[in-house]
Amino acid sequence: MAGFAVALIIIMLAAGLLAAVKVSRQRNSGLAQAIALVKLKTLFRLHLPEQSSGSPAPSPDRPVVHVYPRQSGLDAAVLWSVLDRDCLHVLHPDDQRSLILFGMRLFARTAHAGDTAAIEAALASGRAVTVPCPPDAEPGSETLAAYKALAGFARKHGAVMRAMHVRGSSLSIWSAYPRSSAPRHLLPRFRLAQSGLLDFGVISPAGNGATAPRDEDRVHDLLAEVRFASNDLDRGLFLAFRDAADRYGKAGPVLEDALGGKLSYKKMLIGARVLGVRFAAMSQPGEALGVMLPNANAAIVTFLALQSAGRVAAMLNYTAGPAALVSALSTAKIRTVLASRAFVEKAGLEAPVAAIEKAGVTIIWLEDLRESISWQEKAAAFLNWRRPLQPVKAGDPAVVLFTSGSEGTPKGVVLSHRNIHANAAQAEARIDISVEDKLFNVLPVFHCFGLTGGAILPLLYGVRLFLYPSPLHYRIIPAVAREVRPSIMFGTDTFLAGYARTAKDTDFASLRLIVAGAEAVRAETRRIYRERFDATIIEGFGMTETAPVAAVNSRSHNKDGTVGRLLPAMALRLEPVEGINDAGRLFVSGPNVMLGYMLASEPGVLQPLSDGWHDSGDIVAVDEDGYIAIRGRAKRFAKIAGEMISLGAIELMVQQLWPEDFHAAVAVTDTRKGERIVLVTTRMPALRDELREYSRRFGATDLMVPGEIVNVPEIPLLGSGKTDYVTAQKIADEWIKSHRTDRARK
């Protein structure tokens, strides 16, 4: 028996050696490198970048500086196994002493970290260099300085730069991360990605809109690009969640809601398998089923069940009213709605439910469905929880969301599996998150920010998630946060300001990061959270059509008055707008940009983007470093006496004068000047003379001073937290009409 085992080992070693010899010849690499590559492919199922040769792209004639985030002691070995044999590998101090890299140090050209003379000598002789960098997505000032120095070496020696990233190595037992932030696996899957080549001698408008970016920012963007590229986006969302379960599933409960329910990845996917079987039986592959559920565990399980069954989740905005709901059902040709009786009763949604049933749409009550599930079905789900019921392609529709309707009739936005997964990966490439984090999500999952950012993103990357059913519970949410102790929270300015008014100073003490979107964040809101809660608010920008995030600030790259820089793999262009000289209309493209619209005029028919570019309808300015400043919606500019006036800029001015109140600026028809501005505000009293005097100090023109002021007890909001400008416009129109009538009577 012992002899057989020895023979088997000898045969395996011989087979491995033969495979290494073959690889060495194919790649023109050293035999030691080829042996290392065969080992890595066998043990860690190393996936290499897609090239015709099955290996990374060859280096150009010029020397290449390869930079990579050092996530483990194996990263250097992976790069040595695939790069040119003459490449100089600069080693992290820990790697210089590591036993697992003994063979690499024996056969490779190496230098210790900080040996700039060796780096310059290699580049001067035309050889490539690999340099490890800190693994953080948000680099500190020292790291940015190191990026700048590396760019300087590349410029000096006419070299180009390429970034490399080994996805999965952070989970190995040789991880550079503490166990608390990266769970360990004996043999995790490795996936190597590489960026394009960066030539520091060429300065041209970048895809992110930057015209003269700093060298350190160009390196940072290159690393973010390759971090994003290291994700496997050619999988459906169900399989992406299963991958997350494999990586982070041993950490215990990952999903929790206000009802006290706690689910691990496995329990979540078992529940999805059970429900998915039922959903598959009542619908056709690719059919859209409506989901009318609050932020609770059941909503996530239902969403995953639809993905497993190969159905499309149409997330319904139950706050929009019966007419809008029925319109959404018609637009997406939805025959079945999944809902909860307990939720309908508690939220008082009897009228929308009656309208849905009157429209001939079937409502499936999850409580009834759950009670009818047999033990045989549960047992089958337990055994098959890892497998989706229906295979899907990454480019297939996964979700239909409906635009907010803040300026008109909502449209159905169709997002693919890849769109949503890509957007989560883009955000992870810009902002540091880990299994140590807990995200407190109050934003409804029928809103794209609440779905992708507040649910899918954390669960794909091992962040624990706590769901709260309504963002409008201003007094309750701070107390819940005190008990839950989240480190990350998403919100809108309106909601965040409301929580701050009722919160105790210790309620948000656990927060390290607040990401705000959907509307501009007021300086007063930033100040309150900074001074009272020691929490930083970073502002981002997006739209349902980009799944939703398009740009975001971060702790390392943050500029007040902007919504940050474009996400990796996205591009933008600005088209001129008549009457606006310092900004343009924003168009975006990228892997997160929607498949297309569904319109009420052609129900169920996908209207794809013709050229991959989406017209955001926003007027923006982009500075030389790529930071985007929103000037306003194209529809939210008033033309007064021939000049284009931003209603958003007027709101910003008014908010600085009266920061504790809320305001909405709209335009009404004016017979003399074309249009006139009406300010709808909660300020009491709101004096026009005070506003006119402040506008001069603010630097505004007289045309920006509202001609009329309408007082309201509260500004109308949509369920997503955005200002409801349709209702605000109606308030202004009715006020103007009534005052005209009063004047006529007098």
Side-chain angles (χ1 to χ4, degrees), residues 731-745:
I731 292 171
D733 290 341
E734 290 173 2
W735 190 89
I736 292 293
K737 183 179 179 181
S738 65
H739 277 64
R740 284 174 180 167
T741 302
D742 290 343
R743 293 192 190 102
R745 288 173 179 171

Side-chain angles (χ1 to χ4, degrees), residues 413-415 419 544-547 592-597 609 614:
V413 175
V414 183
L415 299 172
N419 289 154
T544 308
E545 292 86 348
T546 56
N592 55 317
V593 174
M594 66 173 180
L595 295 178
Y597 286 120
L609 293 176
H614 170 63

